[in-house]
Amino acid sequence: AHCPSHSPWIHTMLRCVFAATLAAVLAMPALAQTSRPFPATALRGVLQIVQPPDVRLNDQAARLAPGARIRGTNNMLQLSGALIGQALLVHYTVEPTSGQLLNVWVLTEEEAARKPWPTTPQEAQQWLFNPAAQTWTRR
């Protein structure tokens, strides 16, 4: 007969090891996703938060749109007040009617190394974007 006291599930340490291993395996796909997909409308620039919603973008006065989202290098939302005074290399999109910044992504080293990347709408219109590779090519 099988004795229930010899079950590995009774021993807390084995349950913890199993749970930790399972959590690590489930997290692997998230860790493997190293690049974020940026839209073709995303431009590159240097952002400095002055006093939210006031910012400087490429050394020009600009504003964050109501509901603007700033994502850090870990892709988590960042509060604009926590970034005051820092010069951040970013990709950003603007709200079409107001021209205010709507989405901002603080770039990782890997993302910043992808060149060329348009810095003006005119460049974006003249260049070709490959959304799968997240690369731009000058025509």
Side-chain angles (χ1 to χ4, degrees):
H2 184 269
C3 180
S5 65
H6 294 292
S7 168
W9 296 106
I10 291 178
H11 302 288
T12 305
M13 182 60 126
L14 291 176
R15 281 196 310 249
C16 289
V17 169
F18 177 77
T21 303
L22 180 63
V25 168
L26 292 176
M28 282 181 187
L31 294 173
Q33 185 183 1
T34 56
S35 65
R36 300 178 280 186
F38 299 108
T41 55
L43 301 175
R44 183 171 289 181
V46 176
L47 177 73
Q48 186 171 15
I49 310 282
V50 179
Q51 181 64 43
D54 295 324
V55 299
R56 293 196 64 77
L57 180 64
N58 300 325
D59 216 22
Q60 302 290 321
R63 286 181 71 85
L64 295 171
R69 292 177 296 276
I70 301 173
R71 295 196 176 271
T73 55
N74 60 1
N75 212 33
M76 300 292 287
L77 291 175
Q78 303 284 296
L79 297 176
S80 56
L83 302 172
I84 290 176
Q86 299 177 47
L88 305 165
L89 184 61
V90 300
H91 284 168
Y92 65 93
T93 61
V94 295
E95 204 279 320
T97 55
S98 69
Q100 295 177 340
L101 278 75
L102 186 58
N103 294 294
V104 176
W105 297 269
V106 179
L107 300 183
T108 65
E109 286 184 28
E110 176 189 335
E111 292 164 344
R114 282 191 217 134
K115 295 176 183 176
W117 198 280
T119 58
T120 65
Q122 295 75 22
E123 286 178 343
Q125 289 174 352
Q126 295 170 359
W127 299 358
L128 295 173
F129 183 59
N130 180 335
Q134 291 286 296
T135 56
W136 285 89
T137 309
R138 292 183 176 103
R139 292 185 198 194

